Every structure is written in C-alpha cells, then in structure tokens.
Amino acid sequence: MNKANLKFKIIDALYIAMMTVPILFGIVFNTLTKLPSEGITITGAQIYFVIPMPLQDLPITSAQINSLLVIITVLGLCLYLTHGLTEKAERKRQLLAEWIVEKTQAMVNESMGDFFKGYAPFIAAILAISALSSLLSLLGMFPPTSDINIVAGWAILVFILITYYKLKGGFLNYLKSFTEPIFVMTPLNILGEIATPVSMAFRHFGNVLSGSVIAVLIATALQGLSSIVLGWLPGVLGEIPFLQIGLPGVLSIYFDVFSGCMQAYIFAMLTMLNVSGAFPEDEYEKRRQKKLSKRSKA
C-alpha cells in the first residue's frame, strides 16, 4: 500500500469516526445522565446545568447537546461523501453524493426558481439535520425536534430570510405590503407576518412530540393489558408483556421514521415556498435597472 492510499484511508477513517462517535457519545452520555423514573414519564429536554447571563440565564439541555452532535454527524457525512471526488465517479459514495445534489437542486429549482438556485445546500442541510434529529429517538436519545426552542430557532432564521427578500423590493414597498389590499387589513397583515414563523415552529414541534407521546402511551397501555389478559400464565410467562411485542415497533417505524422524515420535508418545502414567495421580483428588477442606469450615466 503506497502512502497516498494510506493517507486516503486514514482520512476516510477520521470522517467515519466523525459520523459515528458523536452519536455513540450521545447514547452513552444519555444513559449515564438519564434520571430514574417509574411508570409513564413524558418530560421535556433534561437540563444539565445553567450558565448565568445578564438578562436571562442560559440552560444547557439535552436538546442543545444532541443538536450539536447531529450537526457534527452531518458534517462528517458530507466530508466523507465528498472525499476523493473525481471527474468521473469511481466510488459509490460519489454516486450517492451526486444523486443527493441533483435531487435537492431539482427540488429547489422547481419550488423556488432560478434566482434561488444557490439555496440547494441550505435546503439539504435542513432536511438532513431535521430528519436525523427526529431519528435520534430510535436510539433512546431526546430528539431536538421535540424541543420548541430548537425548532423555533430554525423558524426565526427562515423568518429573517423572508424579511430580507421582501426588503429587496425596497423598504417603502415592504411597508406598503402591509396595507394591501386595503388599509384596514394592516393589523391582520402584521399578525399574518408574525404567524409564519410561529406556525412553522409549532407544526414541526407538535407533530414530532405528539408522535412520541402516542407511542409511549400505547406501549404502556399494551403492557398493562398484557398483565390483565395473560397474567394468569404460570411463573415468568405471566410477567412477559406479550401484547407489547410487535405493535410498538410498527408504531415507531411510523412516528419516528416516516413522520420524522415527512416533517423534515414539510419544513423544507415551507421554507422554500415562503422565502421565494416573499421575493418581489418585479420591484427588484425595477430597482436594479434604475441603479444600472444611474451608473451608466455617471
């Protein structure tokens, strides 16, 4: 094995470690710090410690820790898939990377138009981080998407982008949009503007959290039902929750896998539609032409 191949494999191993070690660390850390409980317990993110701040103390929770682990994992995955790119794909990972790029770019072009074609990496990041965050529940970790603070942060970022592109048409046009179609609609238009990030945050958070709650309740109910119906079996057999076998796993596939990935896709679609829909293309072109004419005259 020559030095080039050895160096390539070492870097590959580092990227693979970057993908796997954060999740393994999260599983171990969650196991060691999880508070003991009895029966049904549905709580929010566990608070590890609090950092004193001037205006309001900053709690460090499992949602924040797990979000950081997800970001590191996604970064490691991206570095691994793009390591050793060649003009003609020679590795399966490059084919996978090209497929992801092509599909994401096609989705962005179709939903947002050519002006926003540079948004493909941003949308891919939303899909990856959101989906992986929801899938952490399969590993016994707290999914960050079940914390309203995490999802609200994403929604606020999208709201900033929406406002930025609305201002592309000029500040006066932005203010004028609140008075359309008639002036008396101004209060409702302002409420509608604020409602955009609120609805995006609560839709994602509510669907992920409700799925986890329903799965826990059904699993616990089946355990109790198994004890009532089959508790007469002799010895250890009467203590085994037979009715709990199978159905919770099927529900987990739906609520944790399908629903989690679906909510990631919905959030990404809403991001694309809200950002592109906020862009006043006609007004932007008029302002751009005026600037070009002034420069040419100068």
Side-chain angles (χ1 to χ4, degrees):
M1 182 184 297
N2 56 40
K3 291 184 178 180
N5 288 336
L6 179 60
K7 181 181 178 181
F8 186 88
K9 290 188 175 182
I10 291 175
I11 295 175
D12 259 4
L14 291 175
Y15 290 155
I16 292 173
M18 194 174 179
M19 286 188 289
T20 56
V21 171
I23 301 300
L24 294 175
F25 168 80
I27 295 173
V28 174
F29 185 75
N30 176 73
T31 303
L32 295 176
T33 59
K34 191 172 184 179
L35 300 175
S37 60
E38 296 182 0
I40 302 176
T41 55
I42 301 173
T43 60
Q46 182 178 341
I47 299 176
Y48 297 125
F49 57 92
V50 178
I51 300 176
M53 301 292 285
L55 298 178
Q56 183 176 355
D57 293 342
L58 175 64
I60 303 301
T61 68
S62 56
Q64 294 167 309
I65 299 297
N66 292 345
S67 290
L68 179 60
L69 297 179
V70 167
I71 291 172
I72 296 173
T73 299
V74 172
L75 176 59
L77 176 62
C78 294
L79 293 173
Y80 176 75
L81 292 177
T82 56
H83 183 217
L85 293 179
T86 55
E87 186 175 351
K88 184 179 180 181
E90 298 176 354
R91 299 178 179 87
K92 292 182 179 179
R93 77 176 83 166
Q94 183 171 341
L95 293 174
L96 177 60
E98 291 177 357
W99 180 82
I100 293 172
V101 170
E102 289 173 359
K103 292 298 180 182
T104 307
Q105 190 66 62
M107 183 171 63
V108 170
N109 291 343
E110 182 179 354
S111 302
M112 304 184 75
D114 291 337
F115 185 84
F116 294 93
K117 60 184 179 181
Y119 262 71
F122 179 71
I123 297 302
I126 289 177
L127 288 169
I129 293 174
S130 177
L132 186 56
S133 296
S134 298
L135 293 176
L136 288 185
S137 59
L138 296 173
L139 303 175
M141 300 169 63
F142 182 83
T145 45
S146 291
D147 189 337
I148 185 60
N149 299 289
I150 299 295
V151 186
W154 301 351
I156 291 172
L157 175 60
V158 174
F159 179 69
I160 292 172
L161 291 173
I162 292 171
T163 305
Y164 170 76
Y165 281 102
K166 282 188 175 182
L167 290 172
K168 285 282 189 178
F171 184 71
L172 293 178
N173 286 319
Y174 173 69
L175 295 178
K176 183 182 176 182
S177 65
F178 289 107
T179 64
E180 296 175 350
I182 53 177
F183 183 76
V184 294
M185 295 294 292
T186 300
L188 292 178
N189 288 333
I190 294 174
L191 287 175
E193 192 80 358
I194 299 173
T196 298
V198 174
S199 63
M200 289 184 67
F202 276 94
R203 178 185 286 107
H204 199 323
F205 158 75
N207 280 285
V208 174
L209 180 62
S210 62
S212 301
V213 171
I214 292 172
V216 170
L217 291 176
I218 292 178
T220 306
L222 288 173
Q223 183 179 11
L225 182 63
S226 180
S227 178
I228 294 172
V229 176
L230 302 175
W232 56 269
L233 293 174
V236 181
L237 292 176
E239 300 177 2
I240 299 176
F242 287 103
L243 298 181
Q244 202 179 27
I245 300 173
L247 184 57
V250 175
L251 292 176
S252 179
I253 291 174
Y254 174 77
F255 288 119
D256 294 329
V257 179
F258 176 76
S259 182
C261 294
M262 180 59 69
Q263 293 308 316
Y265 176 75
I266 291 173
F267 192 90
M269 286 299 299
L270 289 174
T271 298
M272 291 188 288
L273 294 176
N274 286 326
V275 171
S276 60
F279 179 54
E281 188 172 358
D282 294 337
E283 295 296 331
Y284 173 75
E285 284 297 326
K286 289 179 182 178
R287 296 187 69 206
R288 193 172 70 88
Q289 291 298 330
K290 286 182 180 179
K291 289 180 180 180
L292 290 176
S293 62
K294 287 182 179 179
R295 289 177 183 177
S296 61
K297 291 178 180 178

